Amino acid sequence: MGNNVFIPSSAQIQAVLEKVAPDCKSFHLTAFSGDNANHTYLIDIEFEDKASEKIVFRRYNVENGDCENKARREYAALKMMHPSKLAVPEPILLDADGTLMGSPGIVTKYVPGIVIDVDTNPQAWAAGVLQLATSLAQIHNTAIDSAIKPLLMDGNAEIVWFLNRGTVPEYMSKYPDGTTIWHAVAELWQHKQPIQPRLLHLDIWSGNILWQGNSITAIMDWEEAAYGDPGIDVGYCRMEYFLIGQDKAAEEFLRQYERETGRPVENLPLWELAAAVRPLYGDYLTSAHMPGYQRFVTSAMQRSGL
């Protein structure tokens, strides 16, 4: 179950169930493994008539801040997307101030599926490349409700946060090509093509996607939902294929995405090089990932023409 501090109390669970499942007879709580950023639990509900249901109880990690806005943002994004039959969980309760749940959070319906471990099974991840590209294109083609846009993040600005100080940060300068990447992003940022803002996820990677076979059942974790250039999500997806040695899948992903959207991905070198900063910031690169990472950066630099 993890740290007991974060386990919901019976009173908190009962308060939620009174809202979403008032006929509940009993329930069982299970922590989702591998959820480090937030505190997410599966609640198995049994009703008086022996029927059952599964819901997901999700609270945001107060140590990461901005919990109320995250709850409102994720709930609003899911509420907007779900009627369009996109592969996202159905939201059923928002508790932005934590009155019911003890801290800001949301409740969604449970979606079955598994997360692919790309490091141990890269072929399985590559096998789903067409499905992922198609799903992402559908998300980017979703019209943004003007009522929720103020809740969304500015994706373009968010993804180049490392330019804000005007100098190369230490975590980049200690990487051999980090300074080059910083200056390339700064240059490309100044000359980027204006693109109609689209709905963005901002953290599309294998750990946030559930699969059954080659079909995506849910794209999860919408707390950073944003508006901006869709190339941001495309570049981040492509980086993961390179990291696990599936370079051809990265190219196939781009071709399928452009077929589905009917438009080229403008500014792709900018967003790929910006994506390349993220693993440097968190020291996420392993020795196994480094060759693929270097190929990804080289490819983006060549594409940029700098």
Side-chain angles (χ1 to χ4, degrees), residues 195 229-232 234-235 254 257-258 261 263-269 271 303:
I195 301 296
D229 189 328
I232 292 171
V234 174
L254 180 59
Y257 175 87
E258 291 181 333
T261 60
R263 58 182 181 267
V265 180
E266 305 285 355
N267 304 314
L268 184 58
W271 304 127
R303 194 186 297 267

Side-chain angles (χ1 to χ4, degrees), residues 159-186 273-274 276-278 280-283:
I159 210 69
V160 294
W161 86 99
F162 50 87
L163 297 180
N164 291 342
R165 294 181 60 183
T167 59
V168 183
E170 182 181 357
Y171 60 83
M172 292 184 69
S173 62
K174 69 181 183 181
Y175 174 73
D177 293 327
T179 298
T180 300
I181 293 172
W182 190 94
H183 285 289
V185 172
L273 291 169
V277 176
R278 295 172 73 172
L280 299 182
Y281 176 75
D283 279 333

Side-chain angles (χ1 to χ4, degrees), residues 12-306:
Q12 290 164 349
I13 297 172
Q14 291 288 1
V16 167
L17 293 179
E18 286 177 10
K19 295 288 186 181
V20 303
D23 299 328
C24 170
K25 175 185 176 183
S26 62
F27 68 86
H28 177 72
L29 185 73
T30 307
F32 281 105
S33 61
D35 187 9
N36 299 317
N38 298 299
H39 314 297
T40 307
Y41 297 84
L42 174 66
I43 303 179
D44 287 280
I45 304 169
E46 183 176 338
F47 298 94
E48 292 289 347
D49 62 359
K50 303 299 184 181
S52 62
E53 183 180 355
K54 295 181 179 183
I55 62 174
V56 175
F57 182 111
R58 174 176 169 83
R59 294 188 299 189
Y60 302 90
N61 189 340
V62 295
E63 294 179 359
N64 294 334
D66 196 29
C67 293
E68 183 171 338
N69 285 333
K70 288 177 180 178
R72 294 186 187 278
R73 185 182 303 124
E74 180 158 22
Y75 184 83
L78 294 176
K79 198 78 171 176
M80 182 179 69
M81 289 185 288
H82 190 265
S84 299
K85 307 301 181 183
L86 296 174
V88 297
E90 179 180 353
I92 54 179
L93 178 69
L94 168 65
D95 186 22
D97 59 7
T99 300
L100 301 175
M101 303 172 72
S103 61
I106 65 171
V107 178
T108 67
K109 289 191 175 181
Y110 169 75
V111 181
I114 63 168
V115 171
I116 295 175
D117 185 334
V118 298
D119 288 319
T120 61
N121 199 356
Q123 292 79 15
W125 182 246
V129 64
L130 299 182
Q131 175 70 211
L132 180 56
T134 299
S135 295
L136 187 60
Q138 291 170 345
I139 288 169
H140 289 165
N141 283 335
T142 302
I144 300 176
D145 187 332
S146 60
I148 80 156
K149 189 173 181 180
L151 298 174
L152 302 178
M153 304 177 80
D154 180 344
N156 290 15
E158 192 69 25
I159 210 69
V160 294
W161 86 99
F162 50 87
L163 297 180
N164 291 342
R165 294 181 60 183
T167 59
V168 183
E170 182 181 357
Y171 60 83
M172 292 184 69
S173 62
K174 69 181 183 181
Y175 174 73
D177 293 327
T179 298
T180 300
I181 293 172
W182 190 94
H183 285 289
V185 172
E187 175 70 15
L188 293 168
W189 173 256
Q190 294 299 319
H191 299 95
K192 66 183 181 299
Q193 294 295 314
I195 301 296
Q196 178 185 352
R198 303 280 177 170
L199 177 65
L200 308 179
H201 185 283
L202 283 195
D203 195 23
I204 289 277
W205 71 291
S206 55
N208 283 334
I209 303 176
L210 294 179
W211 298 81
Q212 286 187 329
N214 285 341
S215 296
I216 293 174
T217 56
I219 296 176
M220 307 176 293
D221 199 1
W222 286 86
E223 67 184 61
E224 295 181 352
Y227 62 88
D229 189 328
I232 292 171
D233 284 343
V234 174
Y236 197 53
C237 282
R238 278 171 49 81
M239 180 171 67
E240 187 164 29
Y241 287 112
F242 273 87
L243 292 180
I244 60 172
Q246 298 294 322
D247 305 22
K248 291 183 179 179
E251 299 307 316
E252 190 176 358
F253 172 87
L254 180 59
R255 290 193 297 270
Q256 176 68 7
Y257 175 87
E258 291 181 333
R259 283 194 294 266
E260 290 291 329
T261 60
R263 58 182 181 267
V265 180
E266 305 285 355
N267 304 314
L268 184 58
L270 165 62
W271 304 127
E272 289 191 330
L273 291 169
V277 176
R278 295 172 73 172
L280 299 182
Y281 176 75
D283 279 333
Y284 296 141
L285 286 176
T286 66
S287 57
H289 292 154
M290 188 60 73
Y293 177 83
Q294 291 171 333
R295 292 195 306 275
F296 177 69
V297 170
T298 299
S299 171
M301 288 295 297
Q302 291 174 344
R303 194 186 297 267
S304 76
L306 295 178

